[in-house]
Amino acid sequence: MDLQGLNVSSGFVDTHIHGLHGMDTLDGTSDSILGMSKSLIQYGVTSFCPTLYPQDDKIFLNSIRNVVNAMGHEEGAKILGMHLEGPFISRSQTGVQLPQYMREVDLELMQKYWDASEGIISIMTVAPELKGMRSLALYCRKKGIVLSAGHSNASYDNMREGMEAGIVHSTHFFNAMRALHHRDPGVVGAIMIHPEVSCEIIGDGVHVHPALIKLLLSVKPKDKILLVTDSLRPTGQKEGDLYANNEKVYLKDGIFYRVSDDVIAGSSLTMNRGIKNLMDMGIDKSLAIQMATKNPSLVLNKQNELGSLIPGKAADIAVFDDNLNIEYTIVNGNILYSSRSQS
């Protein structure tokens, strides 16, 4: 193909996404997961981890099964596994999650999640300070689940204990976690101090100030920072009322806010726009793309399959112009999206 000067990279990998185009991981059907798969390719995403909020046990288990039932039937971006954002997280760092569904560590319940998932839980967000976390960490390490610190009020010492037990990643860094203090580095300080811990960044310029993203890049290894969207059901939705996590929201400057109290509910980011935002902050284009491709593959331990354009890896490719408008998305060597066929 003569791409006439366009940019070509490995397809984008989103490890933290709840929904878009009016579909959500908690809709209660596999069709919504498959719809997300088809919608994501227009943003250059070739693989993703559907991400679940804590809910009532019956709903949560059903949502896990829906991801399992969708996997292998995708007509767009591939499902790499799921990301459970809880429920073993802190009620003092809820964000917009509902505290009544947050739980103390329960290995019997965790086994139910694992059984329902048929072994495809890839990432789990946990609060390292919770009692029983070491046992949970050891369980998850045996299952190959990446444990990620998030929605946490952990002290620095709690974080060190968690990292020793196997917490190697962090969820939407800086957001919904104990902040840096000069007498208590907290969750934020621990992650910045310890180079082995990777972290997600929501690259919309609001969830994390651009100056802090630059600071993070100066102290963390470049392969430890991942771009994620954390996008919600109404992202890209063209009509109708907007709802996220079953609460009515409104969109302002690219961010969803709860109608009830004007609290930030989440992002309307897409991966291609996130890369462009990072570039607009002064981050080199190749590094911004790495944060959306290679780095997620490393966290998921799928670097031999995804994340770079090397013979032997999946032919997952994004083609885009200098403004990150997607021209083609190729999954497993097949052109699944072309902007020219959409116009």
Side-chain angles (χ1 to χ4, degrees):
M1 297 171 64
D2 181 359
L3 296 177
Q4 301 176 336
L6 292 169
N7 301 278
V8 180
S9 81
S10 183
F12 309 146
V13 181
D14 193 351
T15 60
H16 189 154
I17 173 172
H18 296 278
L20 78 165
H21 291 197
M23 296 168 287
D24 192 278
T25 56
L26 296 174
D27 282 345
T29 69
S30 295
D31 287 345
S32 287
I33 309 296
L34 294 173
M36 289 171 60
S37 164
K38 290 181 72 171
S39 295
L40 281 168
I41 53 174
Q42 67 186 270
Y43 305 111
V45 176
T46 54
S47 50
F48 71 115
C49 294
T51 305
L52 308 180
Y53 281 137
Q55 298 288 323
D56 173 81
D57 284 347
K58 185 176 180 181
I59 295 173
F60 200 57
L61 285 165
N62 183 57
S63 298
I64 289 173
R65 294 186 188 102
N66 287 330
V67 177
V68 174
N69 292 335
M71 198 169 183
H73 301 284
E74 306 95 312
E75 295 180 9
K78 295 178 287 190
I79 299 169
L80 296 178
M82 67 187 80
H83 179 168
L84 302 187
E85 194 178 355
F88 309 129
I89 52 181
S90 171
R91 290 187 177 90
S92 65
Q93 293 285 351
T94 57
V96 293
Q97 294 200 30
L98 301 176
Q100 63 265 37
Y101 299 127
M102 297 176 182
R103 307 288 291 267
E104 297 300 318
V105 173
D106 183 336
L107 290 182
E108 186 176 330
L109 183 58
M110 183 67 213
Q111 184 65 48
K112 289 181 180 179
Y113 296 156
W114 182 253
D115 291 342
S117 79
E118 299 183 15
I120 66 164
I121 300 171
S122 295
I123 303 174
M124 188 170 193
T125 298
V126 297
E129 70 273 22
L130 297 185
K131 184 178 179 180
M133 186 53 63
R134 179 172 289 272
S135 296
L136 178 67
L138 293 173
Y139 175 94
C140 289
R141 284 178 67 180
K142 290 178 182 177
K143 301 297 187 184
I145 300 170
V146 175
L147 277 183
S148 184
H151 291 278
S152 168
N153 199 38
S155 67
Y156 179 71
D157 288 341
N158 293 147
M159 282 296 296
R160 286 189 60 187
E161 291 171 7
M163 289 184 277
E164 288 168 2
I167 296 175
V168 296
H169 189 45
S170 54
T171 298
H172 45 49
F173 189 44
F174 292 111
N175 299 117
M177 59 179 58
R178 189 169 183 161
L180 176 68
H181 187 276
H182 58 284
R183 283 190 288 272
D184 176 13
V187 182
V188 168
I191 292 164
M192 295 184 78
I193 290 166
H194 291 269
E196 69 276 16
V197 181
S198 52
C199 56
E200 300 177 349
I201 285 292
I202 302 172
D204 58 14
V206 177
H207 277 82
V208 182
H209 192 283
L212 280 178
I213 294 179
K214 289 185 177 181
L215 173 63
L216 186 63
L217 284 164
S218 72
V219 299
K220 294 291 286 183
K222 301 299 188 287
D223 63 355
K224 294 293 187 181
I225 306 171
L226 283 66
L227 174 68
V228 299
T229 63
D230 197 8
S231 69
L232 304 177
R233 176 201 303 272
T235 298
Q237 186 177 327
K238 302 299 183 185
E239 57 186 24
D241 292 334
L242 306 182
Y243 286 89
N245 202 19
N246 296 318
E247 296 184 291
K248 197 168 184 178
V249 298
Y250 65 92
L251 182 65
K252 182 180 178 182
D253 299 327
I255 303 295
F256 294 115
Y257 296 84
R258 283 197 303 210
V259 170
S260 61
D261 56 10
D262 297 320
V263 168
I264 290 178
S267 172
S268 68
L269 192 64
T270 59
M271 287 296 277
N272 61 322
R273 204 165 73 241
I275 295 170
K276 182 61 166 60
N277 288 344
L278 294 175
M279 291 166 54
D280 290 344
M281 295 173 195
I283 295 169
D284 182 76
K285 177 166 66 175
S286 62
L287 177 55
I289 292 170
Q290 177 183 328
M291 291 162 66
T293 54
K294 177 184 176 182
N295 294 359
S297 76
L298 289 170
V299 167
L300 295 170
N301 197 30
K302 291 186 178 291
Q303 63 271 26
N304 294 327
E305 308 166 34
L306 308 168
S308 54
L309 298 178
I310 296 176
K313 294 191 181 185
D316 295 344
I317 301 170
V319 180
F320 47 91
D321 65 19
D322 289 338
N323 289 315
L324 269 293
N325 297 307
I326 304 299
E327 296 285 341
Y328 297 99
T329 302
I330 300 169
V331 180
N332 289 336
N334 300 305
I335 300 174
L336 298 187
Y337 173 79
S338 168
S339 65
R340 296 165 196 198
S341 66
Q342 306 299 312
S343 58

